[in-house]
Amino acid sequence: MTDDAHVHLEASLRLQRERTGSDAGEQVLQSLLTDLFTESARSGADRVRLRYNPSRWASRGVDRDAQLAVLRRAADEAARDHGVRLDVYATLKRESGERELRENVETALAGAAVAFRGIDVSRSYDVTDSGSRPVPAPLTRGLLGLVREATDRGLEAAAHLGWYDDADDLGPLLAAGVRRIGHGSPLVDRVEWDARLADVHATVEVCPTAFVRRSGRPVRDVPVERWLDAGIRVDVGTDHPLALRTDLAEEVRRMTLAHPAWVPVPAGPRTSPAASA
Ligand SMILES: [Zn+2]
């Protein structure tokens, strides 16, 4: 049993929409979450760290209070029926306006007792299209200030640092309180950042199939042993499991084959973000 440290809901939505022709409403959200827990439990997860965009669901007609109610029921269902702990990270898309970013932080804070654990800075692109590139969106002072505020108020902060992101964004992200790095691909060949990551007890969330698909490099090129030796925690995630046609069992298998030193860590008891900060 282990953590799925990095998984998005949106790719499953695209596949579900193909089946039902609908992408709106509380019921779709509820059924996507149920699908996710069923699949996660089947593939050995005892926790999912879910990336979730409250503004997108608001634009689909599910207001924020309704979202929190669905997520509360979903977290209960995940624990009761599937033995899975749900930790939700509200996505802060770099290209979003300041109002939307703030609303997502406030939703995460309002839901901290429900299922939200933190926030996750990212950019939009289509994971199923290897030619797709994210929109250019520099880290703004406004966004970094909001991340700082969120961590000061007890949320955990994660950030995507993927194939099209710049390793030099890491400094301002860590300074703003980011402690979980999604993918970490620009850091693979940048050993000079290791000590800094270890100093703040950062975790890198490696998604093996996504890494191979996007970088064209084998999983053994991820410097897992180097990171572990430096004192950096390494977790495994599925990223977009349906779109990438993978699951947690497969990601753990690929990771342990390439990196025998890596051992999955079980989730352990639920603590509030504030208590474990
Ligand atoms: Zn991701």
Side-chain angles (χ1 to χ4, degrees), residues 50-65:
L50 178 69
R51 271 53 179 191
Y52 172 87
N53 190 344
S55 358
R56 199 164 294 165
W57 285 95
S59 73
R60 289 177 181 134
V62 187
D63 70 36
R64 285 162 198 270
D65 287 343

Side-chain angles (χ1 to χ4, degrees), residues 133-152:
R133 297 289 179 271
V135 292
L139 280 174
T140 62
R141 293 242 305 266
L143 174 56
L144 290 167
L146 206 50
V147 172
R148 176 84 268 168
E149 183 189 325
T151 56
D152 285 347

Side-chain angles (χ1 to χ4, degrees), residues 46 61 107 136 188 270 276:
D46 58 0
T107 303
V188 163
R270 178 165 171 89
S276 63

Side-chain angles (χ1 to χ4, degrees), residues 242-257:
L242 281 177
L244 294 168
R245 302 192 189 285
T246 188
D247 63 19
L248 186 62
E250 172 62 11
E251 297 305 281
V252 166
R253 192 189 69 81
R254 296 188 82 159
M255 187 74 166
T256 45
L257 267 178

Side-chain angles (χ1 to χ4, degrees), residues 6 8 51 120 160 183 207 239-240:
H6 185 125
H8 296 263
R51 271 53 179 191
D120 179 48
H160 276 68
H183 303 297
C207 305
D239 201 19
H240 296 270

